[in-house]
Amino acid sequence: MITHLRGKLVEKNPTYAIVECNGVGYFLNISLHTFSLLSDEENIFVYTDLLVKEDSHTLFGFAEKSEREVFRLLISVSGVGASTARTMLSSLSPSDVRDAIANEDVPTIQSVKGIGAKTAQRVILDLKDKILKVYDIGEVSQQSNNTNKEEALSALEVLGFTRKQSEKVVDKVLSQDTSLSVENIIKRALKNL
């Protein structure tokens, strides 16, 4: 019903913001992610999601459209309410949540306060296909700070191996010796592909 607000930022706290639009003040529940992105400027624009229950109407605010989309996906999961979804988006960025689901990374999702193993697995089970489809993620790979690994993977892709297939082998090679040069990573990986 209310999809976004453009107005004057009256108050900003880590868990909520009050935005005044044409004399009406809207109380928005926000995540820490949105809190960090909201500027202290007077005029702001926020995406919103109105949650209607029989005993309340709750408005959630998001600095980015992508965060609102992830929030909507999360609350569609049985057992994940709006407060749990907001906690997830306060602990992890929307892209971290998205990648954790796409990569079936249970420990990352479980690292959020209040989420147990069963809930984390249910989130992944219910949302993985939607995340892959909505964000058009094909072969998802973990982000890595290891430039040698990235260069080796790129080279193996050029040689015709899929990234997912190569990554498993390269990770195995690097687990044995992390100090290998790009050339040696590729040589050892080719023996196992």
Side-chain angles (χ1 to χ4, degrees), residues 88-99:
M88 282 180 81
L89 291 166
S90 291
S91 304
L92 305 164
S93 73
S95 58
D96 290 341
V97 173
R98 200 174 60 216
D99 292 345

Side-chain angles (χ1 to χ4, degrees), residues 50-68:
L50 178 64
L51 227 60
V52 178
K53 292 185 179 171
E54 54 187 67
D55 60 341
S56 69
H57 287 59
T58 312
L59 198 57
F60 290 86
F62 309 95
E64 302 169 322
K65 204 172 192 174
S66 62
E67 183 182 12
R68 181 177 66 180

